[in-house]
Amino acid sequence: MNGSLSSIFHAALISSGYNEQCRIMRRDAPANSKNKERYDNMTITIVCDILGEENNGTTIACMNLIRFLRAQGHTVRVVCADQDKAGNECFYVVPELNLYLLNPIVERNGVTLPRLDRSLLEDAIRDCDVVHTTFVLQLSHTAVKIAKAYNKPITSSFHCQAENVTAHFLCKDLDAINRGVYRACYQMVYQYSDIIHYPTQFIRDTFEAVVGPTNGRVISNGVNSMFTPGPAKRPAGLEGKFLIVST
């Protein structure tokens, strides 16, 4: 996610979760007002059901967001199950979930799944300004319930096609099951979200075709700054054609 695109996501994350009174308060506050300072320097709790290695779109987008928000001066609390992050500042590390026979699937994906620690989750949410969720497992489901209880605005990202889940169970081509996954996602987390971030119009249309209209924003995850144009020579016979060089 480059700076310009992540700044758009940043603006949506900050402004969209607040009610009209908060937006007016921030707009009309004097430059040196404590009210304006509060919304320019927020404490944001990001709940990561899936983090782990940066080898998938959800984790990469999440880590880009965390780094960008911190670079802007915000305090970012991260709730996850990555045991190697225990003791790091602003990381709230919950126990790892043991799925027994399904553990090999999780390991192949290079991620760690969380086991709920409600007390730790409450500590991360109680005095924050906004809660952001990135997936739909029990950690995020409980986080949105706690956030509602503390009257915190909730933003959520929707990155996952149903087939990314059902492919692991050899049923990715069964429409009824895929639609059931989208409905479950909505019931677990997204029905509680004040605003939903979609990285593409396609995934928004796909999700809303099942669950109905949502208060969403389509904002591309962008391209990491490490990727830059370079010299390239097309193979003979492929002049004028689109070439896919990486997926």
Side-chain angles (χ1 to χ4, degrees), residues 97-163:
L97 182 65
N98 187 351
L99 294 177
Y100 300 99
L101 295 178
L102 297 180
N103 284 339
I105 295 177
V106 176
E107 292 169 3
R108 281 200 302 271
N109 283 272
V111 298
T112 303
L113 299 183
R115 181 159 54 88
L116 180 63
D117 183 334
R118 187 182 180 94
S119 176
L120 196 68
L121 202 51
E122 288 203 14
D123 288 344
I125 292 173
R126 184 179 296 110
D127 60 347
C128 74
D129 293 302
V130 59
V131 175
H132 181 73
T133 67
T134 60
F135 206 58
V136 293
L137 300 182
Q138 188 181 22
L139 197 65
S140 285
H141 175 64
T142 305
V144 295
K145 294 294 188 69
I146 293 172
K148 286 295 182 184
Y150 284 110
N151 198 30
K152 304 293 183 182
I154 301 167
T155 65
S156 301
S157 297
F158 192 89
H159 293 277
C160 186
Q161 283 184 249
E163 289 83 352

Side-chain angles (χ1 to χ4, degrees), residues 33-46:
S33 166
K34 289 183 179 180
N35 288 329
K36 183 178 288 293
E37 181 181 349
R38 177 186 174 190
Y39 296 112
D40 283 336
N41 300 280
M42 297 194 304
T43 298
I44 302 164
T45 296
I46 299 182

